[in-house]
Amino acid sequence: MGRKAKTAFITGITGQDGSYLAELLLKKGYRVCGLLRRNSNPSYGSAAHLRSEVEFFLGDLADPACLSMYLAEVKPDEIYNLAAQSQVHESWSQPLATADQTGLGALRIFEAVRNVLPQARVYQASTSELYGDTTVVPQDEETPFHPVNPYAAAKALAHFDAQIYRKSFGLFISTGILFNHESPRRSPDFVTRKVSLAVAAIKLGLKGARIPLGQGGIPVINKDRKLELGNLDAKRDWGFAGDYVEAMWMILQHDKPDDFVVATGETHSVRDLCESAFSVAGLKWKDRVVINKKWIRPTETGPLVGNYTKIRKALGWKPKVKFEDLVNMMVQADLAKLR
Ligand code: NAP
Ligand code: G4F
């Protein structure tokens, strides 16, 4: 008799990471279940192509009753808590919703696990935003946290509760402190996708309603056909989401629960990102990018760059896609999509 297939329960399955993780687990033979928010117009987001293979459960991280009910019903071996209000800029406009979904939402999952399914393994999506305005470079698992926005504060609550529930109740809760990771499925709320969509729209000469909507539902290029950005000096460690969901899975296969930094070890500025992305389409970024103060944050993070030695040594994980290849992948995907 072969071994019973494992069951995974993913919150945030309609998002970028949730969809890549669901694909990975389906390939590995898992039964994949996902929490889906009710919407007046049902939307499966980035997981739409997996609708026939994934079992969806209508619910919300705001509701502890549904979380306990689904864990008791599905009895997953592994729970991946990826759901969050994940946009940093937006966390200043929606600080309470962010604290509730991103911070308390995780705590509700841990409580449901403690009460209903204490044998389950849990992955909590922590973030390099926890390092905030750190001056330590590069950052690793021992680097102190200095959160500087409501999103990071909410993630800090979730991260510390993950460690507290692990130590206090002996639960298998691991965290991945993931640095920025991107893909053609990234929401245009984030700078990489905002840039790749704008490059494609400019290159293809799109006009009017054909210009895709970007951050905050605003067209990705303005009436002068320019891309409006905030801080070009901000530095991030950008990797590929497909590589990072493999790290999430490996973290839950480890023999003990722990915390792991997942990063590329390289940092680039938003200016570098613009230069690379526009050059993929044979364009000069300086002619096309303007600063709009609207996108400059009250406080800035970084420079962020992660040291992934611990996960490389313990689990053999390393990133495969380099920055230039990631940017090329995203611009090519948007050119194909908008053409
Ligand atoms: P994303 O694309 O923004 O996806 C967020 C997901 O959370 C969506 O499926 C969303 O559902 C769901 N969600 C939000 N609030 C919810 C609620 N109250 N109840 C149920 N579901 C809810 O995020 P991502 O980039 O895939 O990131 C995944 C996780 O990793 C997030 O926790 C994020 O904070 C964290 N993280 C991301 C990065 C990164 O660079 N991508 C780095 C570090 C950590 P809807 O589709 O219904 O909105
Ligand atoms: O793409 P971003 O919005 O991502 P940010 O804030 O780093 O957060 C992402 O990564 C975190 C991991 O570190 C995750 F936890 C989080 O959930 C999310 O996935 O902004 C990147 C940088 C920032 O420094 C921002 O100030 O780009 C700068 N930026 C400059 N102009 C802009 C813009 N960001 C956005 N979104 N839009 C702009 O126009």
Side-chain angles (χ1 to χ4, degrees), residues 85-89 126-129 151 155 178-182 186 189-192 194 215 228-232 234-236 238 270 295 297 300-301 304:
Q85 190 302 93
S86 72
Q87 223 296 325
V88 171
H89 196 89
S126 289
T127 167
S128 49
E129 278 294 319
Y151 165 79
K155 281 288 185 185
L178 270 55
F179 284 62
N180 299 48
H181 45 280
E182 319 292 315
R186 188 62 145 155
D189 281 346
F190 300 94
V191 74
T192 52
K194 185 172 170 181
Q215 192 165 9
E228 296 182 357
L229 292 176
N231 182 3
L232 299 184
K235 289 185 127 185
R236 289 291 185 275
W238 278 295
V270 174
W295 303 120
R297 299 176 179 183
E300 186 53 91
T301 315
L304 293 179

Side-chain angles (χ1 to χ4, degrees), residues 152-175:
K155 281 288 185 185
L157 173 80
H159 185 84
F160 287 127
D161 275 335
Q163 294 180 330
I164 288 165
Y165 272 56
R166 184 195 303 160
K167 282 188 196 133
S168 312
F169 304 120
L171 300 180
F172 194 114
I173 304 182
S174 291
T175 71

